[in-house]
Amino acid sequence: MENNKNVKTENLTADQWSQVLVEALPYFKNWCGKVVVVKYGGNAMLNEDLKQAVMEDIVLLNTIGIKVVLVHGGGPEINHMLERVGKESKFVDGLRYTDAETMEIVQMVLTGKLNKDIVGILLQKGGKAVGLSGVDTGLIRAKKTDKDLGFVGDVTEVNPDILVSLLDRGFIPVVSTVALGEQGDSNRYNINADTAAAKIAVALKAEKFVQLTNVPGVLRNIDDPSTLIKRIEKTAIGSLKATGIIAGGMIPKIDCCLTALEGGVPRTHIIDGRVPHSLLIEMFSDRGIGTMIY
């Protein structure tokens, strides 16, 4: 990866280098001191080169004074661990059924392995990171979802005090989405990471909520990346759903953006995590990347 980066940068002229920096400078100033919540998952989490690029992006944002909270899922890793222990994955309407044994594995994978792996990479890149789960300090409280999915919960409360404290001290909080039950409920719940990230963005009064996904954004034609819709006003979402442009797995992602917008977050984005450094392109360039819902 280093060699590839060196080839690319050596091909830039001095004028091109200066143009990149001049274009980025106003964005550096604008975002310094602001809170950005990033939901991390998908191919960017599975591909090692992409994982390294995402962590480099996060460290750079933190270094120039942007307060980044990284919220992660881990569905593929959970599936892999369940296979290793001979536990069959069960899904209801596309959602994972989480019995007590599965919940133990979910907690082990998300909080014990993935969370600390991410923190370790951030530290290697020169960042200051702290790993948390929704259980720590009661960061995320949840109740059992209305559907019969076992220990799958809906977020009822986010207590952001620990995140605010860490952000103010220059740390990058890395949050895994295992939640604590409501008062009087000692259970742990598996929480959808997109939903949890949106709720955390609202609680922190974030300036931007970004979802790294496996698609370019919202496409008018799902088979044609050139039909990317770069900006969608939230009032247009209903008609886009009705015409089938927003459909399938894009619906819950859009709904999470709406949750953030309705909670006061001014900008939400769905960007392609398969593009190296897509987060930097979105944050610091005029062209941006993916779809903004505003």
Side-chain angles (χ1 to χ4, degrees):
M1 191 172 180
E2 288 297 325
N3 290 336
N4 290 338
K5 285 194 294 185
N6 288 339
V7 170
K8 291 177 182 177
T9 56
E10 286 174 1
N11 288 339
L12 291 178
T13 66
D15 284 344
Q16 289 171 326
W17 263 113
S18 62
Q19 183 58 40
V20 169
L21 295 172
V22 167
E23 182 180 319
L25 182 58
Y27 294 100
F28 286 0
K29 292 180 177 178
N30 181 63
W31 288 110
C32 184
K34 305 290 178 60
V35 176
V36 175
V37 175
V38 178
K39 189 273 174 171
Y40 172 53
N43 284 354
M45 202 168 194
L46 295 175
N47 181 288
E48 189 58 34
D49 285 345
L50 290 175
K51 182 187 294 185
Q52 297 292 325
V54 170
M55 297 308 141
E56 288 169 353
D57 291 357
I58 297 294
V59 171
L60 190 152
L61 297 180
N62 175 253
T63 300
I64 65 173
I66 299 172
K67 298 179 176 182
V68 185
V69 177
L70 187 60
V71 182
H72 69 86
E77 287 272 7
I78 293 169
N79 290 340
H80 179 64
M81 183 59 71
L82 289 171
E83 289 175 7
R84 285 181 61 183
V85 301
K87 177 77 174 177
E88 183 180 358
S89 296
K90 178 182 176 182
F91 293 88
V92 178
D93 296 330
L95 301 172
R96 183 189 302 280
Y97 181 86
T98 306
D99 59 20
E101 184 181 11
T102 301
M103 188 62 228
E104 289 184 10
I105 293 171
V106 167
Q107 182 165 269
M108 177 179 69
V109 171
L110 291 183
T111 68
K113 183 182 185 298
L114 284 177
N115 189 267
K116 302 313 174 189
D117 287 349
I118 293 169
V119 169
I121 297 172
L122 289 169
L123 293 174
Q124 290 171 359
K125 300 293 183 184
K128 294 169 59 180
V130 175
L132 301 166
S133 77
V135 174
D136 294 307
T137 71
L139 171 59
I140 304 173
R141 296 269 182 179
K143 66 177 181 180
K144 188 179 185 298
T145 188
D146 292 336
K147 294 181 179 180
D148 184 16
L149 296 170
F151 292 94
V152 174
D154 293 325
V155 176
T156 58
E157 180 186 359
V158 174
N159 177 6
D161 290 352
I162 184 64
L163 298 180
V164 172
S165 178
L166 290 169
L167 291 170
D168 287 345
R169 295 172 62 190
F171 288 96
I172 305 165
V174 180
V175 182
S176 64
T177 54
V178 172
L180 191 64
E182 296 181 295
Q183 297 292 341
D185 180 356
S186 62
N187 291 316
R188 308 288 192 269
Y189 290 98
N190 186 13
I191 304 297
N192 177 274
D194 293 316
T195 303
K199 296 278 191 177
I200 288 171
V202 170
L204 288 171
K205 298 180 174 59
E207 286 292 322
K208 187 188 284 278
F209 169 51
V210 180
Q211 296 179 74
L212 290 172
T213 69
N214 299 338
V215 295
V218 178
L219 304 175
R220 291 193 180 276
N221 179 349
I222 196 169
D223 297 317
D224 185 359
S226 69
T227 64
L228 174 70
I229 306 175
K230 293 186 176 181
R231 296 168 62 91
I232 299 174
E233 190 172 0
K234 71 175 184 178
T235 54
I237 288 174
S239 63
L240 290 173
K241 286 182 177 180
T243 56
I245 292 173
I246 295 176
M250 186 57 70
I251 291 176
K253 295 185 184 302
I254 292 290
D255 288 346
C256 287
C257 289
L258 283 175
T259 295
L261 288 170
E262 290 166 358
V265 178
R267 301 175 183 85
T268 68
H269 301 259
I270 297 172
I271 67 176
D272 196 342
R274 300 169 300 178
V275 177
H277 302 294
S278 56
L279 191 53
L280 295 187
I281 296 170
E282 171 52 46
M283 295 287 297
F284 299 135
S285 72
D286 293 338
R287 64 191 177 99
I289 193 170
T291 299
M292 178 173 77
I293 299 92
Y294 65 99

